[in-house]
Amino acid sequence: MFTNSLAIGLVLLAQGSPAMQMPVAVQVTTLPAPIPPTTRPPVTRPPTVRPPMRPDHRVPYFSRSNYIDGRGFAGRVRCNSQNGRFNSCSARTQNRVMLIRTHGGNCRRGHNWGYDSRRVWVSQSCRATFAYGYGHYYPDRENNSSSGGSNTALIIGGIAVAAGLAAILSNSGKNIDTSSSSAGPPAAISADPNWVQQAARPALNQCLTRAARDVGATGGTRITLQTAAASEIEPGAFQIGGTLTAQYPDSTRELPMLCEATADGVDQFEFKS
């Protein structure tokens, strides 16, 4: 009796156990193959063309063909970022500005210099001279040094003479021969360097040398420094204003001058008519 009951219990237990039941078929769904990514052809960009490096930043890198539209400018302005600070310089730009000479720093338009209709601005130690507006000033006529003034320089024997000097001489009745194939020699210089501070004297010498060249080209024989004052516009660069007398064979003329220079050369120069 006990044996039969045990056998029946084992049969019932086997029928109710999940482990002893028949396996259930599982339907497997096959996923579609992944779509390969779209292959785009490589983009070919033209190589960047950079202008040649200039061995001397005082020699302008431009010619008439480098002008924005081939036309002259109304004038120029020198703008300096001292000690990396932002600075703006007033100029009626007519939204047309070109950098014509770098005096210091790595000047890049849109990065550390720019302009609007009323000013040119610089920052991050950019120091440069800019031509602006529309007019009759052509930087390439300056013979690799600034003739000064916003007017076109006068060419005598291949030398660009400051237009202000031509105006002074013309107003005093002196005729200037611009057809000569050679200019006169530089005028002799008489000057007392004690008009300016010690640090500015090399710059003053550069300004007087430039004045003597222009006066000599127009027939003058001697210049004499009557007054002078210098102010430092950046380390080693000075703005010098003064009055000269120029000796010509027929008369003596007074020449107010304004000059920006360093010990190495003249950045801007003009006679004020």
Side-chain angles (χ1 to χ4, degrees):
M1 183 67 181
F2 176 77
T3 304
N4 292 337
S5 299
L6 178 60
I8 294 172
L10 292 174
V11 170
L12 293 175
L13 180 61
Q15 291 178 350
S17 173
M20 301 299 294
Q21 293 178 357
M22 294 298 294
V24 178
V26 178
Q27 185 177 0
V28 178
T29 302
T30 303
L31 297 176
I35 300 174
T38 303
T39 303
R40 297 180 180 180
V43 178
T44 303
R45 294 181 173 87
T48 301
V49 179
R50 302 182 183 275
M53 295 296 291
R54 292 173 292 166
D56 184 354
H57 70 265
R58 294 184 182 279
V59 179
Y61 174 73
F62 55 72
S63 64
R64 185 67 55 83
S65 62
N66 295 126
Y67 288 178
I68 298 171
D69 51 16
R71 299 171 61 183
F73 295 89
R76 67 184 175 194
V77 62
R78 176 168 174 165
C79 206
N80 300 321
S81 168
Q82 298 286 8
N83 300 320
R85 294 191 297 268
F86 176 89
N87 185 31
S88 65
C89 303
S90 298
R92 187 171 177 268
T93 69
Q94 298 174 280
N95 290 316
R96 181 176 184 258
V97 174
M98 184 177 77
L99 189 154
I100 59 174
R101 184 175 289 104
T102 300
H103 305 292
N106 181 20
C107 299
R108 290 183 292 161
R109 180 178 172 182
H111 177 68
N112 56 1
W113 78 268
Y115 62 91
D116 56 31
S117 62
R118 296 179 297 177
R119 63 174 183 166
V120 177
W121 61 264
V122 293
S123 64
Q124 300 178 27
S125 299
C126 171
R127 303 189 299 277
T129 297
F130 304 89
Y132 62 86
Y134 293 91
H136 302 289
Y137 167 56
Y138 294 95
D140 61 338
R141 294 183 180 178
E142 295 187 348
N143 200 27
N144 288 342
S145 60
S146 298
S147 299
S150 60
N151 298 320
T152 303
L154 184 67
I155 307 299
I156 301 177
I159 294 179
V161 175
L165 176 59
I168 293 172
L169 298 178
S170 177
N171 292 337
S172 63
K174 178 176 174 56
N175 294 323
I176 302 174
D177 182 12
T178 59
S179 63
S180 175
S181 60
S182 61
I189 300 173
S190 297
D192 181 0
N194 292 318
W195 278 108
V196 300
Q197 59 269 39
Q198 179 70 36
R201 290 173 189 173
L204 174 62
N205 183 63
Q206 293 285 352
C207 294
L208 293 175
T209 300
R210 176 57 193 273
R213 191 201 73 172
D214 284 14
V215 169
T218 56
T221 57
R222 178 175 294 275
I223 61 171
T224 302
L225 181 65
Q226 301 295 329
T227 61
S231 60
E232 191 171 25
I233 54 178
E234 62 181 77
F238 295 86
Q239 183 179 75
I240 299 174
T243 302
L244 303 171
T245 55
Q247 182 67 48
Y248 286 85
D250 57 347
S251 63
T252 299
R253 292 172 175 83
E254 186 175 275
L255 304 176
M257 74 166 185
L258 183 63
C259 177
E260 291 184 8
T262 66
D264 299 322
V266 174
D267 290 328
Q268 295 189 49
F269 184 89
E270 61 183 313
F271 290 109
K272 308 294 287 186
S273 55

